[in-house]
C-alpha cells in the first residue's frame, strides 16, 4: 500500500531554480546569458568549420580540438532550453523524464570532454617525445578509434544512472537547486535510500573524470621529463609553448568541476546563490573560454573569424 501511495503522489515534474535573490532581474539577465550562448556556439562552430576547410589543420592535434568543440557545443545545447526558458519566460517546470534525459546528456558530454582532454594530452606527449614519428603513431585511423572509445565509454558509463534514479520515489520535494538537471541535485530529493545510485554515480565519476585527471597529470610529468632532457633553453620553451593551450583547456574544465563537486559535498551551509553560480560556471565556462584560448594560439582560426566579420559587414552594407 505504501508503494502505491508513493506512486500515486510521485511528482510528474521538477521545478528548476534560476539564480536565487535575482528573480526580479531575470529578464535583463537573459540578454547577457543569451550572448554567452551565442559566443559559445559561434566560437566552437568557427573552430569546427576552420579545421574542416583548412588543409594545414588536418592533423591529429586539431582533430582532437574539433572533438572538444563538438562536445562543448552539445553541452551548451543541453542547457540552453531550460536556462533561457527560466530567464526569458519564467518557465521553471520540466517533466520528470525530460529532466533525466537532460541529466544524462549533460554528464555524457562532460565525460566526453574529459576523455578528449586526455587524448589531447597523449597527442602532446607523442609530439614532444617523438616528433619524427608523430604522423605514423597518430594516424587518422588511430584518431577515429580514439574518438569512438571516448564516445562509447561516456555513453556506457552514464547509461545506468537515469534508470536507477527512475526507480526512486520523489514525493517529498521537487524543487531543484539549478537551472538544469544534475545527478547530485536530483539525488538529494529522493525519498528513499540512494546508496546504489550514489555508488553507480561515484563509479562513473572515478572511471571518467578521476582516471582522466590522473592520466593528464602523468602525461605532463612525462612531458616535463622529456623537455628537461632538451639541451637548449630555447628548445625547451618552444616545446612547452605547444602545451599552453591544452593546459588552459584542462584548467578551464577541471577547476569549475572540482569547485562544484566540493560545494555539493562540503558546502551545504553555503548560500543557494553560491551553488547556482558554481554550477553555471561548471557548464558555461569551458564552452565559452576554450574557443577563445585556441583562437589566440591559432592564426588560421583568427583569419577565419576576421573573414566572417568582413563578409557580415559587406552583406549588411549591401
Amino acid at each position: 500500500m505504501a508503494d502505491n501511495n508513493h506512486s500515486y503522489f510521485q511528482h510528474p515534474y521538477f521545478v528548476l531554480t534560476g539564480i536565487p535573490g535575482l528573480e526580479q532581474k531575470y529578464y535583463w539577465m537573459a540578454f547577457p546569458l543569451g550572448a554567452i550562448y551565442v559566443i559559445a556556439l559561434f566560437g566552437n562552430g568557427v573552430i569546427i568549420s576552420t579545421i574542416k576547410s583548412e588543409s594545414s589543420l588536418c592533423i591529429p592535434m586539431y582533430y582532437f580540438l574539433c572533438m572538444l568543440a563538438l562536445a562543448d557545443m552539445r553541452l551548451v545545447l543541453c542547457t540552453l532550453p531550460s536556462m533561457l526558458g527560466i530567464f526569458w519566460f519564467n518557465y521553471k517546470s520540466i517533466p520528470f523524464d525530460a529532466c533525466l534525459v537532460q541529466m544524462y546528456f549533460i554528464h555524457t558530454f562532460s565525460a566526453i570532454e574529459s576523455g578528449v582532454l586526455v587524448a589531447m594530452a597523449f597527442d602532446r606527449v607523442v609530439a614532444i617525445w617523438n616528433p619524427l614519428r608523430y604522423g605514423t603513431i597518430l594516424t587518422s585511423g588511430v584518431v577515429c578509434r580514439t574518438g569512438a572509445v571516448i564516445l562509447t565509454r561516456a555513453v556506457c558509463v552514464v547509461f545506468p544512472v537515469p534508470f536507477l534514479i527512475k526507480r526512486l520515489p520523489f514525493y517529498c520535494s521537487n524543487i531543484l537547486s539549478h537551472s538544469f538537471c544534475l545527478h547530485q541535485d536530483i539525488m538529494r530529493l529522493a525519498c528513499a535510500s540512494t546508496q546504489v545510485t550514489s555508488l553507480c554515480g561515484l563509479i562513473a565519476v572515478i572511471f571518467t573524470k578521476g582516471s582522466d585527471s590522473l592520466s593528464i597529470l602523468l602525461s605532463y610529468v612525462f612531458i616535463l621529463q622529456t623537455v628537461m632532457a632538451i639541451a637548449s633553453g630555447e628548445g625547451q620553451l618552444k616545446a612547452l609553448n605547444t602545451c599552453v593551450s591544452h593546459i588552459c583547456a584542462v584548467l578551464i574544465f577541471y577547476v569549475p568541476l572540482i569547485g562544484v563537486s566540493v560545494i555539493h559535498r562540503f558546502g551545504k551551509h553555503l548560500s543557494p546563490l553560491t551553488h547556482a553560480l558554481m554550477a553555471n560556471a561548471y557548464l558555461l565556462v569551458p564552452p565559452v573560454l576554450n574557443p577563445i584560448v585556441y583562437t589566440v594560439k591559432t592564426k588560421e582560426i583568427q583569419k577565419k573569424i576576421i573573414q566572417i566579420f568582413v563578409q557580415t559587414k559587406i552583406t549588411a552594407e549591401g
Side-chain angles (χ1 to χ4, degrees), residues 158-181:
V158 185
F159 188 75
V161 176
F163 293 99
L164 291 173
I165 292 180
K166 179 76 172 177
R167 300 175 58 188
L168 296 173
F170 291 89
Y171 52 85
C172 301
S173 174
N174 65 338
I175 301 177
L176 297 173
S177 302
H178 307 304
S179 307
F180 34 77
C181 301

Side-chain angles (χ1 to χ4, degrees), residues 230-243:
I230 299 175
S232 67
E234 183 180 352
Q236 292 177 350
L237 290 176
K238 185 177 180 180
L240 290 175
N241 188 52
T242 64
C243 301

Side-chain angles (χ1 to χ4, degrees), residues 62-114:
Y62 290 104
Y63 288 148
F64 290 131
L65 176 57
C66 189
M67 295 180 193
L68 185 69
L70 283 170
D72 279 336
M73 288 186 72
R74 300 299 187 271
L75 200 57
V76 165
L77 292 173
C78 286
T79 60
L80 186 148
S82 61
M83 290 192 73
L84 291 187
I86 292 172
F87 288 95
W88 272 355
F89 307 108
N90 199 31
Y91 186 78
K92 300 181 179 181
S93 300
I94 182 171
F96 184 83
D97 290 336
C99 188
L100 294 184
V101 170
Q102 184 187 51
M103 178 205 71
Y104 172 77
F105 281 115
I106 285 175
H107 290 293
T108 297
F109 289 122
S110 180
I112 290 173
E113 182 162 350
S114 179

